[in-house]
Amino acid sequence: PVFVVSDGTGDTAEKVVRAAFRQFSGHFIYLRTFPGITTPDQLAYLFRRAQRQQALVVTTLVRAEMRTAAMHYANEAGVRHID
């Protein structure tokens, strides 16, 4: 699975991820978008969930402290993460 995590609507990030994965035609990719993520607690929850599901997490977060928190939680959980 791929989790798209955004502090906005997530629409643009989802489109970019879908476009990137189009090169892998013939493969099913489960994509889930999580819009409106604005607190470190929300991020921590999503990274724990990603760990359980062995998901790749793609984030588009505006605030530097949220990007830093995402990197921290990804490393802590051993989750693949792209910002």
Side-chain angles (χ1 to χ4, degrees), residues 2 9-10 19-20 27 33 36 41 54 56-57 62 75 81 83:
V2 179
T9 65
H27 295 278
T33 302
D41 287 342
Q54 297 180 348
L56 165 68
V57 178
V62 174
N75 289 332
H81 169 242
D83 180 28

Side-chain angles (χ1 to χ4, degrees), residues 64-83:
E65 62 271 16
M66 288 292 285
R67 290 193 306 273
T68 300
M71 286 186 282
H72 168 77
Y73 293 131
N75 289 332
E76 187 177 77
V79 170
R80 296 166 295 160
H81 169 242
I82 299 170
D83 180 28

